Amino acid sequence: MDFKHISAMPREVMTALDPKPGATFVDGTLGGGGHSALIIDRIMPGGRFIGVDQDIDAIANARKRFADHGDSVTLVHDNFENIAAILQELGVGGVDGILVDIGLSQHQLEGSGRGFSFMRDEPLDMRMDDRGDTTAEDLVNTLPEKELADLIFKYGEERFSRGIARAIVKKRQESPITTTAELADIIRYAMPAKAVAKQKIHPATRSFQAIRIAVNRELDRLERFMDDFLELLNPGGRLCVLSFHSLEDRIVKQKMKGLATGCICPKSFPICTCGNEPKVKLLTRKAVRPADDEVAENPMARSTRLRACEKL
């Protein structure tokens, strides 16, 4: 099966990463390989590229797409949170750039059959890595009502989470909820009709997002990576992160901003006593959003937020 996906903000990503011939780069989320192909073109000859993805379909696609590059390209079936361990195992001491694109691929939504989209009637799976132990069906059918409501509110920012959780629990008492269409209907009818009529998005959007984030531990993994990335970069090395909703972007923003901060002494101190110095230079003062022409051609890119920094 072809891995269908259009990479978001390719021009802006290349500007942020600025790959050079002979450099070593990591793409922590291969996806369809669009960003990876652009990086590889710029670091060859003499460069080293390490591609990581937790979705085995993405790895299979990349093996075909980059087969001609031989040992210059290394592909690893893993999650980007483990890049530090991956580099250590490969004997790579530091890299010149890391890209992490946290969004779902078009293939996962439309061709994986794993229930990421409420637009198709598929099994309630939502695992990006099919080696994971927990599926969406597990969470939907076993979490206590309060925990389910809290999950939907925290990760989906869904204000009707209580009613949705109550409706899910009531339905699963009759029979297990096993498909995306069934879950989407439960969510839609659990929400006030007036609120549904006013929404520009499908009423199940936020709840599906929340369940997917929980299944894949997406925010926990992003936080772990953001704690590790600085030690992986060579001096002058760059990190570029593409996120797709406010929860992810907040984690990236706060970590980059913290590392870019110098003195943290109270303003009343006449001289600095903390000795804290900036560790990165922000390449994006605020999140960069896709241009209108890109959104017109690739609507999936509309919610993309790009942030980048350079290690000092």
mmCIF file of all heavy atoms in Angstrom, residues 82-126:
data_model
loop_
_atom_site.group_PDB
_atom_site.id
_atom_site.type_symbol
_atom_site.label_atom_id
_atom_site.label_comp_id
_atom_site.label_asym_id
_atom_site.label_seq_id
_atom_site.Cartn_x
_atom_site.Cartn_y
_atom_site.Cartn_z
ATOM 1 N N ASN A 82 12.668 8.318 22.011
ATOM 2 C CA ASN A 82 13.838 7.487 22.269
ATOM 3 C C ASN A 82 15.033 7.831 21.378
ATOM 4 O O ASN A 82 15.960 7.026 21.252
ATOM 5 C CB ASN A 82 13.468 6.011 22.063
ATOM 6 C CG ASN A 82 12.421 5.544 23.043
ATOM 7 O OD1 ASN A 82 12.457 5.877 24.223
ATOM 8 N ND2 ASN A 82 11.450 4.772 22.556
ATOM 9 N N ILE A 83 15.044 9.023 20.780
ATOM 10 C CA ILE A 83 16.139 9.399 19.893
ATOM 11 C C ILE A 83 17.487 9.339 20.600
ATOM 12 O O ILE A 83 18.492 8.917 20.019
ATOM 13 C CB ILE A 83 15.894 10.792 19.270
ATOM 14 C CG1 ILE A 83 14.742 10.724 18.258
ATOM 15 C CG2 ILE A 83 17.154 11.319 18.582
ATOM 16 C CD1 ILE A 83 14.352 12.063 17.659
ATOM 17 N N ALA A 84 17.536 9.739 21.864
ATOM 18 C CA ALA A 84 18.813 9.703 22.593
ATOM 19 C C ALA A 84 19.373 8.289 22.629
ATOM 20 O O ALA A 84 20.561 8.063 22.348
ATOM 21 C CB ALA A 84 18.616 10.231 24.017
ATOM 22 N N ALA A 85 18.536 7.311 22.951
ATOM 23 C CA ALA A 85 18.980 5.914 23.005
ATOM 24 C C ALA A 85 19.332 5.391 21.616
ATOM 25 O O ALA A 85 20.290 4.623 21.448
ATOM 26 C CB ALA A 85 17.892 5.044 23.631
ATOM 27 N N ILE A 86 18.576 5.828 20.607
ATOM 28 C CA ILE A 86 18.844 5.398 19.228
ATOM 29 C C ILE A 86 20.218 5.883 18.776
ATOM 30 O O ILE A 86 21.014 5.116 18.214
ATOM 31 C CB ILE A 86 17.742 5.926 18.287
ATOM 32 C CG1 ILE A 86 16.408 5.232 18.577
ATOM 33 C CG2 ILE A 86 18.132 5.728 16.813
ATOM 34 C CD1 ILE A 86 15.223 5.897 17.908
ATOM 35 N N LEU A 87 20.520 7.150 19.028
ATOM 36 C CA LEU A 87 21.818 7.702 18.626
ATOM 37 C C LEU A 87 22.963 7.025 19.368
ATOM 38 O O LEU A 87 24.023 6.769 18.795
ATOM 39 C CB LEU A 87 21.837 9.212 18.860
ATOM 40 C CG LEU A 87 20.888 10.046 18.003
ATOM 41 C CD1 LEU A 87 21.020 11.526 18.344
ATOM 42 C CD2 LEU A 87 21.141 9.825 16.518
ATOM 43 N N GLN A 88 22.735 6.744 20.637
ATOM 44 C CA GLN A 88 23.769 6.060 21.417
ATOM 45 C C GLN A 88 24.050 4.677 20.838
ATOM 46 O O GLN A 88 25.209 4.274 20.704
ATOM 47 C CB GLN A 88 23.331 5.941 22.877
ATOM 48 C CG GLN A 88 24.389 5.316 23.784
ATOM 49 C CD GLN A 88 23.945 5.293 25.234
ATOM 50 O OE1 GLN A 88 22.771 5.353 25.553
ATOM 51 N NE2 GLN A 88 24.915 5.213 26.135
ATOM 52 N N GLU A 89 22.996 3.960 20.483
ATOM 53 C CA GLU A 89 23.165 2.622 19.920
ATOM 54 C C GLU A 89 23.875 2.666 18.575
ATOM 55 O O GLU A 89 24.651 1.768 18.237
ATOM 56 C CB GLU A 89 21.805 1.944 19.774
ATOM 57 C CG GLU A 89 21.890 0.495 19.317
ATOM 58 C CD GLU A 89 20.545 -0.206 19.350
ATOM 59 O OE1 GLU A 89 19.634 0.265 20.060
ATOM 60 O OE2 GLU A 89 20.407 -1.236 18.661
ATOM 61 N N LEU A 90 23.634 3.735 17.811
ATOM 62 C CA LEU A 90 24.265 3.884 16.501
ATOM 63 C C LEU A 90 25.681 4.459 16.601
ATOM 64 O O LEU A 90 26.382 4.546 15.592
ATOM 65 C CB LEU A 90 23.408 4.781 15.599
ATOM 66 C CG LEU A 90 22.040 4.231 15.195
ATOM 67 C CD1 LEU A 90 21.252 5.291 14.438
ATOM 68 C CD2 LEU A 90 22.196 2.979 14.337
ATOM 69 N N GLY A 91 26.074 4.877 17.793
ATOM 70 C CA GLY A 91 27.398 5.464 17.970
ATOM 71 C C GLY A 91 27.511 6.874 17.445
ATOM 72 O O GLY A 91 28.605 7.335 17.108
ATOM 73 N N VAL A 92 26.396 7.580 17.398
ATOM 74 C CA VAL A 92 26.374 8.967 16.923
ATOM 75 C C VAL A 92 26.412 9.892 18.140
ATOM 76 O O VAL A 92 25.493 9.892 18.963
ATOM 77 C CB VAL A 92 25.118 9.244 16.080
ATOM 78 C CG1 VAL A 92 25.075 10.713 15.654
ATOM 79 C CG2 VAL A 92 25.075 8.328 14.867
ATOM 80 N N GLY A 93 27.470 10.673 18.251
ATOM 81 C CA GLY A 93 27.646 11.516 19.421
ATOM 82 C C GLY A 93 26.793 12.762 19.435
ATOM 83 O O GLY A 93 26.410 13.262 20.491
ATOM 84 N N GLY A 94 26.502 13.306 18.278
ATOM 85 C CA GLY A 94 25.700 14.518 18.184
ATOM 86 C C GLY A 94 25.236 14.721 16.762
ATOM 87 O O GLY A 94 25.832 14.186 15.821
ATOM 88 N N VAL A 95 24.168 15.500 16.591
ATOM 89 C CA VAL A 95 23.615 15.732 15.257
ATOM 90 C C VAL A 95 23.478 17.223 15.008
ATOM 91 O O VAL A 95 23.503 18.039 15.928
ATOM 92 C CB VAL A 95 22.252 15.030 15.093
ATOM 93 C CG1 VAL A 95 22.394 13.525 15.286
ATOM 94 C CG2 VAL A 95 21.212 15.594 16.052
ATOM 95 N N ASP A 96 23.329 17.560 13.739
ATOM 96 C CA ASP A 96 23.265 18.969 13.337
ATOM 97 C C ASP A 96 21.837 19.483 13.209
ATOM 98 O O ASP A 96 21.636 20.693 13.068
ATOM 99 C CB ASP A 96 23.998 19.155 12.010
ATOM 100 C CG ASP A 96 25.446 18.718 12.109
ATOM 101 O OD1 ASP A 96 26.166 19.256 12.970
ATOM 102 O OD2 ASP A 96 25.853 17.804 11.359
ATOM 103 N N GLY A 97 20.880 18.569 13.260
ATOM 104 C CA GLY A 97 19.495 19.004 13.179
ATOM 105 C C GLY A 97 18.542 17.871 13.476
ATOM 106 O O GLY A 97 18.825 16.708 13.190
ATOM 107 N N ILE A 98 17.403 18.230 14.089
ATOM 108 C CA ILE A 98 16.345 17.267 14.387
ATOM 109 C C ILE A 98 15.022 17.884 13.972
ATOM 110 O O ILE A 98 14.728 19.046 14.294
ATOM 111 C CB ILE A 98 16.282 16.912 15.883
ATOM 112 C CG1 ILE A 98 17.614 16.362 16.384
ATOM 113 C CG2 ILE A 98 15.162 15.895 16.146
ATOM 114 C CD1 ILE A 98 17.657 16.136 17.888
ATOM 115 N N LEU A 99 14.225 17.099 13.276
ATOM 116 C CA LEU A 99 12.860 17.500 12.920
ATOM 117 C C LEU A 99 11.887 16.553 13.595
ATOM 118 O O LEU A 99 12.069 15.340 13.561
ATOM 119 C CB LEU A 99 12.664 17.436 11.397
ATOM 120 C CG LEU A 99 11.216 17.589 10.909
ATOM 121 C CD1 LEU A 99 10.677 18.990 11.231
ATOM 122 C CD2 LEU A 99 11.124 17.312 9.410
ATOM 123 N N VAL A 100 10.853 17.133 14.205
ATOM 124 C CA VAL A 100 9.760 16.327 14.761
ATOM 125 C C VAL A 100 8.450 16.943 14.287
ATOM 126 O O VAL A 100 8.164 18.110 14.552
ATOM 127 C CB VAL A 100 9.799 16.288 16.304
ATOM 128 C CG1 VAL A 100 8.581 15.550 16.838
ATOM 129 C CG2 VAL A 100 11.069 15.618 16.794
ATOM 130 N N ASP A 101 7.669 16.155 13.556
ATOM 131 C CA ASP A 101 6.365 16.565 13.023
ATOM 132 C C ASP A 101 5.329 15.699 13.731
ATOM 133 O O ASP A 101 5.181 14.518 13.440
ATOM 134 C CB ASP A 101 6.352 16.338 11.507
ATOM 135 C CG ASP A 101 5.018 16.678 10.865
ATOM 136 O OD1 ASP A 101 4.034 16.882 11.599
ATOM 137 O OD2 ASP A 101 4.949 16.715 9.630
ATOM 138 N N ILE A 102 4.585 16.280 14.669
ATOM 139 C CA ILE A 102 3.776 15.480 15.587
ATOM 140 C C ILE A 102 2.394 15.139 15.036
ATOM 141 O O ILE A 102 1.644 14.400 15.656
ATOM 142 C CB ILE A 102 3.643 16.217 16.938
ATOM 143 C CG1 ILE A 102 5.025 16.743 17.384
ATOM 144 C CG2 ILE A 102 3.128 15.288 18.027
ATOM 145 C CD1 ILE A 102 4.973 17.636 18.569
ATOM 146 N N GLY A 103 2.063 15.633 13.865
ATOM 147 C CA GLY A 103 0.717 15.412 13.355
ATOM 148 C C GLY A 103 0.480 14.009 12.818
ATOM 149 O O GLY A 103 1.407 13.253 12.552
ATOM 150 N N LEU A 104 -0.805 13.682 12.642
ATOM 151 C CA LEU A 104 -1.188 12.448 11.979
ATOM 152 C C LEU A 104 -0.884 12.553 10.495
ATOM 153 O O LEU A 104 -0.991 13.634 9.897
ATOM 154 C CB LEU A 104 -2.693 12.206 12.140
ATOM 155 C CG LEU A 104 -3.184 11.552 13.425
ATOM 156 C CD1 LEU A 104 -4.705 11.610 13.455
ATOM 157 C CD2 LEU A 104 -2.714 10.126 13.532
ATOM 158 N N SER A 105 -0.516 11.448 9.886
ATOM 159 C CA SER A 105 -0.319 11.436 8.438
ATOM 160 C C SER A 105 -1.653 11.175 7.740
ATOM 161 O O SER A 105 -2.600 10.641 8.329
ATOM 162 C CB SER A 105 0.682 10.351 8.043
ATOM 163 O OG SER A 105 0.104 9.064 8.236
ATOM 164 N N GLN A 106 -1.710 11.568 6.482
ATOM 165 C CA GLN A 106 -2.899 11.303 5.682
ATOM 166 C C GLN A 106 -3.137 9.797 5.557
ATOM 167 O O GLN A 106 -4.270 9.325 5.544
ATOM 168 C CB GLN A 106 -2.729 11.936 4.298
ATOM 169 C CG GLN A 106 -3.999 11.978 3.470
ATOM 170 C CD GLN A 106 -3.805 12.789 2.205
ATOM 171 O OE1 GLN A 106 -2.807 13.481 2.027
ATOM 172 N NE2 GLN A 106 -4.775 12.704 1.307
ATOM 173 N N HIS A 107 -2.051 9.037 5.497
ATOM 174 C CA HIS A 107 -2.173 7.584 5.418
ATOM 175 C C HIS A 107 -2.845 7.028 6.669
ATOM 176 O O HIS A 107 -3.722 6.157 6.584
ATOM 177 C CB HIS A 107 -0.794 6.942 5.261
ATOM 178 C CG HIS A 107 -0.790 5.451 5.463
ATOM 179 N ND1 HIS A 107 -1.214 4.581 4.495
ATOM 180 C CD2 HIS A 107 -0.440 4.692 6.537
ATOM 181 C CE1 HIS A 107 -1.115 3.337 4.950
ATOM 182 N NE2 HIS A 107 -0.656 3.382 6.184
ATOM 183 N N GLN A 108 -2.439 7.527 7.837
ATOM 184 C CA GLN A 108 -3.035 7.030 9.072
ATOM 185 C C GLN A 108 -4.523 7.335 9.132
ATOM 186 O O GLN A 108 -5.319 6.504 9.583
ATOM 187 C CB GLN A 108 -2.305 7.641 10.282
ATOM 188 C CG GLN A 108 -0.918 7.059 10.492
ATOM 189 C CD GLN A 108 -0.098 7.839 11.495
ATOM 190 O OE1 GLN A 108 -0.220 9.053 11.620
ATOM 191 N NE2 GLN A 108 0.772 7.142 12.210
ATOM 192 N N LEU A 109 -4.901 8.506 8.654
ATOM 193 C CA LEU A 109 -6.309 8.883 8.665
ATOM 194 C C LEU A 109 -7.128 8.114 7.641
ATOM 195 O O LEU A 109 -8.246 7.676 7.924
ATOM 196 C CB LEU A 109 -6.448 10.390 8.398
ATOM 197 C CG LEU A 109 -6.134 11.324 9.556
ATOM 198 C CD1 LEU A 109 -6.064 12.757 9.064
ATOM 199 C CD2 LEU A 109 -7.177 11.188 10.659
ATOM 200 N N GLU A 110 -6.558 7.947 6.444
ATOM 201 C CA GLU A 110 -7.360 7.440 5.331
ATOM 202 C C GLU A 110 -7.039 6.023 4.902
ATOM 203 O O GLU A 110 -7.898 5.363 4.286
ATOM 204 C CB GLU A 110 -7.195 8.375 4.122
ATOM 205 C CG GLU A 110 -7.646 9.804 4.390
ATOM 206 C CD GLU A 110 -7.439 10.706 3.181
ATOM 207 O OE1 GLU A 110 -6.961 10.205 2.136
ATOM 208 O OE2 GLU A 110 -7.763 11.908 3.283
ATOM 209 N N GLY A 111 -5.836 5.529 5.210
ATOM 210 C CA GLY A 111 -5.463 4.236 4.648
ATOM 211 C C GLY A 111 -5.001 3.182 5.626
ATOM 212 O O GLY A 111 -4.753 2.042 5.238
ATOM 213 N N SER A 112 -4.908 3.537 6.913
ATOM 214 C CA SER A 112 -4.347 2.580 7.865
ATOM 215 C C SER A 112 -5.369 1.578 8.382
ATOM 216 O O SER A 112 -5.007 0.492 8.842
ATOM 217 C CB SER A 112 -3.722 3.326 9.052
ATOM 218 O OG SER A 112 -4.727 3.927 9.863
ATOM 219 N N GLY A 113 -6.648 1.956 8.356
ATOM 220 C CA GLY A 113 -7.684 1.081 8.890
ATOM 221 C C GLY A 113 -7.671 0.964 10.399
ATOM 222 O O GLY A 113 -8.263 0.039 10.961
ATOM 223 N N ARG A 114 -7.019 1.930 11.093
ATOM 224 C CA ARG A 114 -6.865 1.823 12.540
ATOM 225 C C ARG A 114 -7.771 2.749 13.343
ATOM 226 O O ARG A 114 -7.582 2.937 14.542
ATOM 227 C CB ARG A 114 -5.397 2.074 12.914
ATOM 228 C CG ARG A 114 -4.506 0.880 12.629
ATOM 229 C CD ARG A 114 -3.062 1.175 12.984
ATOM 230 N NE ARG A 114 -2.265 1.399 11.792
ATOM 231 C CZ ARG A 114 -1.110 2.051 11.776
ATOM 232 N NH1 ARG A 114 -0.631 2.562 12.888
ATOM 233 N NH2 ARG A 114 -0.435 2.201 10.657
ATOM 234 N N GLY A 115 -8.751 3.327 12.671
ATOM 235 C CA GLY A 115 -9.765 4.063 13.413
ATOM 236 C C GLY A 115 -9.373 5.432 13.906
ATOM 237 O O GLY A 115 -9.882 5.904 14.929
ATOM 238 N N PHE A 116 -8.478 6.120 13.192
ATOM 239 C CA PHE A 116 -8.107 7.472 13.599
ATOM 240 C C PHE A 116 -9.175 8.500 13.223
ATOM 241 O O PHE A 116 -9.233 9.574 13.802
ATOM 242 C CB PHE A 116 -6.783 7.884 12.947
ATOM 243 C CG PHE A 116 -5.586 7.162 13.502
ATOM 244 C CD1 PHE A 116 -4.931 6.202 12.759
ATOM 245 C CD2 PHE A 116 -5.114 7.443 14.766
ATOM 246 C CE1 PHE A 116 -3.823 5.537 13.262
ATOM 247 C CE2 PHE A 116 -4.006 6.788 15.287
ATOM 248 C CZ PHE A 116 -3.363 5.824 14.529
ATOM 249 N N SER A 117 -9.984 8.185 12.227
ATOM 250 C CA SER A 117 -10.957 9.140 11.710
ATOM 251 C C SER A 117 -12.387 8.678 11.979
ATOM 252 O O SER A 117 -12.706 7.496 11.845
ATOM 253 C CB SER A 117 -10.758 9.322 10.203
ATOM 254 O OG SER A 117 -11.788 10.119 9.657
ATOM 255 N N PHE A 118 -13.229 9.644 12.330
ATOM 256 C CA PHE A 118 -14.662 9.360 12.516
ATOM 257 C C PHE A 118 -15.396 9.382 11.174
ATOM 258 O O PHE A 118 -16.595 9.148 11.114
ATOM 259 C CB PHE A 118 -15.291 10.393 13.456
ATOM 260 C CG PHE A 118 -14.804 11.791 13.204
ATOM 261 C CD1 PHE A 118 -15.240 12.543 12.133
ATOM 262 C CD2 PHE A 118 -13.858 12.344 14.046
ATOM 263 C CE1 PHE A 118 -14.779 13.819 11.903
ATOM 264 C CE2 PHE A 118 -13.373 13.636 13.830
ATOM 265 C CZ PHE A 118 -13.842 14.369 12.758
ATOM 266 N N MET A 119 -14.673 9.658 10.090
ATOM 267 C CA MET A 119 -15.283 9.708 8.763
ATOM 268 C C MET A 119 -15.393 8.326 8.133
ATOM 269 O O MET A 119 -16.003 8.163 7.083
ATOM 270 C CB MET A 119 -14.464 10.618 7.838
ATOM 271 C CG MET A 119 -14.306 12.037 8.362
ATOM 272 S SD MET A 119 -15.870 12.878 8.637
ATOM 273 C CE MET A 119 -16.399 13.116 6.925
ATOM 274 N N ARG A 120 -14.783 7.326 8.780
ATOM 275 C CA ARG A 120 -14.832 5.956 8.282
ATOM 276 C C ARG A 120 -15.248 5.021 9.405
ATOM 277 O O ARG A 120 -14.933 5.274 10.563
ATOM 278 C CB ARG A 120 -13.453 5.525 7.749
ATOM 279 C CG ARG A 120 -13.073 6.215 6.476
ATOM 280 C CD ARG A 120 -11.601 6.017 6.156
ATOM 281 N NE ARG A 120 -11.292 6.617 4.876
ATOM 282 C CZ ARG A 120 -11.170 7.924 4.676
ATOM 283 N NH1 ARG A 120 -11.316 8.749 5.698
ATOM 284 N NH2 ARG A 120 -10.913 8.410 3.482
ATOM 285 N N ASP A 121 -15.923 3.947 9.056
ATOM 286 C CA ASP A 121 -16.328 2.978 10.063
ATOM 287 C C ASP A 121 -15.248 1.909 10.162
ATOM 288 O O ASP A 121 -15.181 0.992 9.340
ATOM 289 C CB ASP A 121 -17.681 2.349 9.695
ATOM 290 C CG ASP A 121 -18.265 1.556 10.862
ATOM 291 O OD1 ASP A 121 -17.741 1.687 11.981
ATOM 292 O OD2 ASP A 121 -19.241 0.817 10.650
ATOM 293 N N GLU A 122 -14.379 2.053 11.165
ATOM 294 C CA GLU A 122 -13.234 1.171 11.334
ATOM 295 C C GLU A 122 -13.151 0.709 12.787
ATOM 296 O O GLU A 122 -13.777 1.304 13.675
ATOM 297 C CB GLU A 122 -11.942 1.914 10.953
ATOM 298 C CG GLU A 122 -11.885 2.333 9.499
ATOM 299 C CD GLU A 122 -10.650 3.149 9.157
ATOM 300 O OE1 GLU A 122 -10.003 3.675 10.110
ATOM 301 O OE2 GLU A 122 -10.319 3.257 7.965
ATOM 302 N N PRO A 123 -12.348 -0.317 13.055
ATOM 303 C CA PRO A 123 -12.168 -0.762 14.438
ATOM 304 C C PRO A 123 -11.569 0.345 15.302
ATOM 305 O O PRO A 123 -10.737 1.128 14.843
ATOM 306 C CB PRO A 123 -11.194 -1.942 14.310
ATOM 307 C CG PRO A 123 -11.360 -2.422 12.905
ATOM 308 C CD PRO A 123 -11.661 -1.201 12.086
ATOM 309 N N LEU A 124 -11.980 0.402 16.552
ATOM 310 C CA LEU A 124 -11.472 1.415 17.486
ATOM 311 C C LEU A 124 -10.091 1.007 17.981
ATOM 312 O O LEU A 124 -9.952 0.367 19.020
ATOM 313 C CB LEU A 124 -12.428 1.565 18.671
ATOM 314 C CG LEU A 124 -13.515 2.615 18.560
ATOM 315 C CD1 LEU A 124 -14.391 2.572 19.805
ATOM 316 C CD2 LEU A 124 -12.917 4.001 18.380
ATOM 317 N N ASP A 125 -9.064 1.379 17.220
ATOM 318 C CA ASP A 125 -7.692 1.018 17.554
ATOM 319 C C ASP A 125 -6.912 2.263 17.959
ATOM 320 O O ASP A 125 -6.564 2.455 19.107
ATOM 321 C CB ASP A 125 -7.050 0.308 16.355
ATOM 322 C CG ASP A 125 -5.703 -0.307 16.683
ATOM 323 O OD1 ASP A 125 -4.934 0.311 17.445
ATOM 324 O OD2 ASP A 125 -5.402 -1.394 16.177
ATOM 325 N N MET A 126 -6.591 3.101 16.994
ATOM 326 C CA MET A 126 -5.891 4.378 17.175
ATOM 327 C C MET A 126 -4.442 4.250 17.622
ATOM 328 O O MET A 126 -3.826 5.245 18.005
ATOM 329 C CB MET A 126 -6.636 5.311 18.149
ATOM 330 C CG MET A 126 -8.006 5.758 17.675
ATOM 331 S SD MET A 126 -8.615 7.168 18.624
ATOM 332 C CE MET A 126 -10.334 7.198 18.156
#
